[in-house]
């Protein structure tokens, strides 16, 4: 089962701090949404409000068009996969998974079958007779997922469920989560601070900071065209180059940057952009390349490291400019002290407000 | 110095355990006395005093009374203590700290005072002394203990587990009965076993609050009034043996649940 989620101007106050500041968000039915942000950004607070563990100070939550703001968690069409799994330690794995159906008054045989079906879905066939403490972290995670899905929730909430797993297992579980989500079609709302994880699984990424939504949209859009400096920096490494508007001419914005003049093609009305406005030009390290067309930046390599898929270098532009981070192709040969000429296509640059 | 240390440690341990267990060992030893007095020299062993205890109607009735009072009063004490601990650990009430202190405070009050207070209260309210009042007295002294044990075992990690149960549709009584209580069963069993042993050999409250039907310690006390006799040793040994058995069973059950 699945349903859309509507969050209307939800705020939450803890004492004097505002953990959520009038957050509005609409999620489509069957969407895999990821709430992404640093700790303390309000993402877990928002998840707890969706799950009914916390009441909002203001605003409303609608699931499937029904206002659930006043409903306790037991009566919401949501279930949660907790960060620490929160499995019932005194019950077998099968009884854990069958707990939700049991609370809904489903008979012993039927819920037993349901538990087996769910355990098969998460790849734990035949583990039903074991106790949670006999399982590995990854297996417990799967049991928690099976338990939450056993009641066919409209919305599944996942609170940093992969945080305790090692990197390899985490990547594997991401793929499985995504596959399971596609199979069951339930709306997933997943909280994480790991932007790679967010991009690996999300249909929609919601970047949060200080109780507000900084940006939200498809992973490509949020990564390539972030709407705020915070979102740009949180989604991945970025070079921020101070810039000043020099003027506009037929669909192009002329910028004076610390590295030289840049001509950006922009759609929309440019007459509102006053010459002299200070901006920042964001360039991702992988867009700074020795072979790209556009502004040429001679620079001296100050540091270089091989990352497998690329060389990551720090370079100091000559004669002047902010230090840049660039990813050079795998086959490149660079060492500190080398001279390189970097360039980037203006189309790949991101225009961001100055601080 | 380094060689002396283990010797000193062993000597200290022996002295300590001797101090604690020698009286009990002497009591048990002279319960097997063949003569009429439980004093050296020891001649025996003989089981005749045990068979006398077994044949003593009043003693056996008192033993049954003690068992009933211990089980029922401990059941009440554990139930009250557990519920209070759950309420104070999970609920957000005003003055939680103060209430917590108030519940555990009776642990520091002497049984004599509690017994006298209960006796006067029952007297005023027209309730005559009986095994029921003894049971109430034991529930009064054991509830703070059960509360303290249950409260100490309620950690924050269980909060999420209870949340998960609610999230899956459990009502509050189902959370309590299907998740919280089973999860805390080791603590609950430990509290119950301790309560049973405390009630089992408690004398002063049982003495003040009973009249015709009495518990085993009170019956042993009336035996003692007629002078030293290996039969009292035998009865005392039975009390000790049952206490030990309760504690051992509790240990085994708790250890198995943890495993």
């Amino acid at each position: 089962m699945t349903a859309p989620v509507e969050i209307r101007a939800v705020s939450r106050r803890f004492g004097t701090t505002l953990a959520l500041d009038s957050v509005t968000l609409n999620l489509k039915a069957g969407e895999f949404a990821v709430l992404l942000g640093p700790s303390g950004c309000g993402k877990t607070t928002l998840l707890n409000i969706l799950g009914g563990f916390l009441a909002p100070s203001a605003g409303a939550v609608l699931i499937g068009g029904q206002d659930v703001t006043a409903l306790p968690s037991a009566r919401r069409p949501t279930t949660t996969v907790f960060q620490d799994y929160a499995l019932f330690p005194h019950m077998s794995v099968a009884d854990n998974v069958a707990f939700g159906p049991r609370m809904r008054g489903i008979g012993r045989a039927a819920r037993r079958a349901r538990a087996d079906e769910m355990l098969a879905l998460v790849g734990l066939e035949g583990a039903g007779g074991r106790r949670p403490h006999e399982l590995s972290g990854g297996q417990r995670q799967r049991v928690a997922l099976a338990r939450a899905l056993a009641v066919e929730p409209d919305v599944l909430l996942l609170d940093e469920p992969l945080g305790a797993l090692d990197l390899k297992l985490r990547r594997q579980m991401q793929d499985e989560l995504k596959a399971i989500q596609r199979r069951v079609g339930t709306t997933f709302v997943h909280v994480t601070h790991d932007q790679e994880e967010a991009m690996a699984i999300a249909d929609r990424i919601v970047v949060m900071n200080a109780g507000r939504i900084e940006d939200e949209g498809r992973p490509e859009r949020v990564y390539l065209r972030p709407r705020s400096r915070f979102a740009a920096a949180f989604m991945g490494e970025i070079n921020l180059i101070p810039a000043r508007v020099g003027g506009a001419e037929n669909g192009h914005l002329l910028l004076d940057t610390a590295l030289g003049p840049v001509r950006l093609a922009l759609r929309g009305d440019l007459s509102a952009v006053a010459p002299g406005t200070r901006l920042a030009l964001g360039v991702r390290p992988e867009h700074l390349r020795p072979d790209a067309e556009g502004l040429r930046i001679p620079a001296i390599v100050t540091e270089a490291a091989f990352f497998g898929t690329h060389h990551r270098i720090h370079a100091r532009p000559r004669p002047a400019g902010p230090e840049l981070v660039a990813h050079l192709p795998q086959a490149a040969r660079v060492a500190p002290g080398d001279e390189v000429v970097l360039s980037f296509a203006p189309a790949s640059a991101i225009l961001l407000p100055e601080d | 110095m380094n060689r002396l240390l283990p010797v000193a440690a062993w000597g200290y341990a022996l002295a300590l355990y001797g101090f604690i267990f020698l009286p009990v060992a002497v009591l048990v030893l002279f319960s097997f006395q063949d003569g009429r007095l439980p004093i050296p020299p020891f001649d025996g062993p003989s089981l005749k005093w045990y068979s006398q205890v077994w044949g003593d109607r009043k003693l056996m009735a008192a033993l049954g009374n003690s068992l009933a009072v211990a089980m029922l009063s401990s059941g009440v004490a554990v139930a009250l203590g557990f519920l209070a601990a759950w309420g104070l650990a999970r609920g957000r009430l005003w003055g939680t700290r103060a209430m917590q202190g108030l519940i555990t405070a009776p642990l520091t009050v002497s049984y004599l005072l509690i017994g006298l207070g209960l006796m006067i209260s029952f007297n005023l309210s027209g309730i005559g002394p009986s095994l029921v009042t003894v049971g109430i007295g034991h529930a009064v002294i054991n509830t703070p203990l059960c509360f303290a044990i249950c409260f100490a075992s309620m950690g924050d990690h269980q909060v999420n587990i209870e949340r998960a149960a609610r999230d899956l549709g459990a009502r509050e009584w189902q959370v309590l009965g299907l998740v919280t209580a089973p999860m805390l069963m080791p603590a609950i069993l430990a509290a119950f076993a301790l309560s049973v042993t405390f009630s089992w050999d408690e004398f002063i409250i049982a003495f003040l609050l009973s009249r015709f039907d009495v518990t085993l310690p009170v019956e042993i006390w009336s035996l003692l009034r007629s002078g030293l006799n290996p039969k009292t040793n035998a009865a005392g040994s039975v009390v000790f043996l049952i206490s030990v058995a309760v504690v051992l069973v509790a240990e085994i059950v708790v250890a198995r649940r943890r495993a």
Side-chain angles (χ1 to χ4, degrees):
Chain A
M1 299 220 289
T2 184
V5 177
E6 204 180 330
I7 299 163
R8 284 188 192 157
V10 163
S11 294
R12 171 70 205 200
R13 214 170 252 296
F14 291 109
T16 54
T17 53
L18 198 56
L20 282 179
D21 185 3
S22 193
V23 167
T24 295
L25 181 67
N26 290 302
L27 302 176
K28 291 204 249 353
E31 209 167 20
F32 200 137
V34 172
L35 305 181
L36 175 69
S39 53
C41 71
K43 58 190 193 297
T44 301
T45 306
L46 185 58
L47 197 78
N48 282 335
I49 286 174
L50 285 177
F53 302 116
L54 205 61
S57 309
V61 175
L62 283 81
I63 295 174
Q66 189 207 350
D67 189 338
V68 297
T69 318
L71 287 186
S73 59
R75 291 177 47 213
R76 291 194 183 200
T78 60
T79 51
T80 305
V81 176
F82 292 89
Q83 189 171 14
D84 59 359
Y85 317 137
L87 297 178
F88 307 126
H90 56 287
M91 292 184 196
S92 70
V93 165
D95 287 343
N96 263 279
V97 178
F99 189 83
R102 183 179 172 192
M103 292 303 104
R104 279 159 179 72
I106 290 167
R108 189 176 290 272
R111 63 187 195 234
R112 191 82 216 185
R114 181 78 185 144
D116 288 344
E117 185 192 333
M118 284 296 112
L119 286 173
L121 176 73
V122 298
L124 279 178
E125 297 95 336
R130 297 167 75 184
R131 289 292 178 115
H133 68 83
E134 295 169 347
L135 304 179
S136 70
Q139 289 172 323
R140 284 180 214 185
Q141 183 57 66
R142 289 159 199 262
V143 176
L145 184 64
R147 183 180 68 176
L149 284 172
V151 296
E152 299 189 317
D154 289 341
V155 181
L156 185 76
L157 309 172
L158 303 108
D159 183 9
E160 305 212 21
L162 310 179
L165 306 180
D166 63 59
L167 189 65
K168 195 171 164 226
L169 194 54
R170 192 154 56 192
R171 297 282 173 258
Q172 186 194 335
M173 280 303 290
Q174 286 165 8
D175 294 343
E176 286 188 33
L177 262 185
K178 184 84 190 158
I180 287 169
Q181 194 265 344
R182 252 190 238 117
R183 264 174 73 185
V184 298
T186 303
T187 310
F188 275 33
V189 183
H190 179 120
V191 158
T192 184
H193 56 258
D194 177 353
Q195 52 86 18
E196 271 187 59
E197 178 172 312
M199 287 200 275
I201 55 179
D203 295 323
R204 181 205 295 252
I205 290 181
V206 179
V207 182
M208 295 187 65
N209 180 38
R212 290 169 169 278
I213 292 177
E214 290 272 346
D215 196 0
E216 53 118 346
R218 286 181 309 110
E220 296 94 319
R221 216 279 293 133
V222 177
Y223 182 82
L224 294 173
R225 293 274 161 243
R227 298 213 169 106
S228 78
R229 267 176 90 107
F230 180 87
F234 202 83
M235 289 302 291
E237 207 167 13
I238 194 160
N239 297 294
L240 289 170
I241 303 156
R244 202 165 58 84
V245 175
E249 55 164 44
N250 50 20
H252 286 79
L253 193 64
L254 301 174
L255 292 173
D256 295 323
T257 75
L259 299 172
V262 175
R263 199 160 171 269
L264 281 184
L266 287 183
R267 270 173 294 175
D269 183 18
L270 295 178
S271 58
V273 186
T277 307
R278 290 189 177 280
L279 296 165
L281 200 61
V283 183
R284 297 259 181 226
E286 66 272 24
H287 292 144
L288 273 177
R289 308 182 63 93
D291 50 7
E293 309 250 315
L295 181 68
R296 292 168 61 78
I297 309 158
I300 300 220
V301 176
T302 55
E303 270 177 63
F306 182 57
F307 272 59
T309 55
H310 60 268
H311 291 267
R312 179 170 177 272
I313 63 162
H314 288 260
R316 184 171 304 132
R318 282 195 317 165
E323 190 172 75
L324 300 172
V325 176
H327 294 172
L328 300 190
Q330 199 178 39
R333 298 181 138 244
V334 280
D338 288 359
E339 284 193 37
V340 288
V341 177
L342 300 169
S343 56
F344 63 90
S348 65
I350 308 155
L351 209 51
L352 294 164
E354 187 203 32
D355 253 335
Chain B
M1 185 65 202
N2 274 348
R3 267 200 229 136
L4 267 179
L5 209 57
V7 176
W10 276 105
Y12 176 69
L14 275 177
L16 184 68
Y17 285 114
F19 185 72
I20 296 173
F21 286 110
L22 205 56
V24 180
V26 168
L27 174 106
V28 174
L29 177 69
F30 283 97
S31 70
F32 296 107
Q33 177 78 308
D34 204 9
R36 295 204 46 80
L37 288 173
I39 48 166
F42 176 70
D43 40 47
S46 153
L47 287 174
K48 73 175 184 185
W49 297 110
Y50 282 91
S51 72
Q52 283 220 19
V53 167
W54 185 254
D56 187 327
R57 277 267 210 67
K58 280 169 79 183
L59 263 177
M60 293 317 282
L63 189 135
N65 291 344
S66 266
L67 273 178
V69 167
M71 293 295 163
L72 292 175
S73 74
S74 299
V76 171
V78 165
L80 292 177
F82 171 73
L83 288 174
W86 193 61
L88 286 186
R90 299 286 185 263
R92 291 190 186 279
L93 300 169
W94 183 85
T96 299
R97 269 293 171 84
M99 278 194 269
Q100 196 185 321
L102 214 57
I103 293 179
T104 44
L107 282 175
T108 62
V109 179
S110 88
Y111 286 1
L112 179 63
L113 288 183
I114 293 176
L116 281 172
L118 282 168
M119 192 175 74
I120 296 165
S121 309
F122 285 134
N123 227 336
L124 286 175
S125 47
I127 300 167
S130 69
L131 287 177
V132 173
T133 53
V134 174
I136 292 172
H138 287 176
V140 167
I141 57 167
N142 284 328
T143 299
L145 180 83
C146 293
F147 166 80
I149 293 173
C150 291
F151 190 78
S153 68
M154 288 192 180
D156 281 342
H157 66 282
Q158 294 146 353
V159 174
N160 253 359
I161 296 176
E162 291 173 2
R163 265 179 157 196
R166 267 177 224 122
D167 187 48
L168 292 166
R171 289 160 216 269
E172 216 52 26
W173 62 268
Q174 288 172 314
V175 173
L176 197 62
L178 297 175
V179 175
T180 312
M183 205 163 47
L184 293 175
M185 202 40 86
I188 291 172
L189 287 177
F192 182 77
L194 260 181
S195 280
V196 167
T197 61
F198 279 18
S199 164
W200 173 249
D201 56 12
E202 198 284 328
F203 170 72
I204 191 77
I205 292 173
F207 176 70
L208 291 172
L209 298 179
S210 60
R211 188 180 291 160
F212 305 117
D213 295 321
V214 295
T215 60
L216 198 50
V218 178
E219 187 58 38
I220 290 173
W221 177 78
S222 51
L223 272 182
L224 272 175
R225 283 198 301 183
S226 54
L228 281 181
N229 187 330
K231 191 174 157 192
T232 37
N233 288 40
S237 299
V238 170
V239 171
F240 175 68
L241 198 75
I242 292 180
S243 291
V244 170
V246 169
V247 171
L248 279 182
V249 167
E251 287 272 342
I252 291 165
V253 172
V254 170
R256 276 185 141 199
R257 288 212 155 241
R258 291 232 168 101

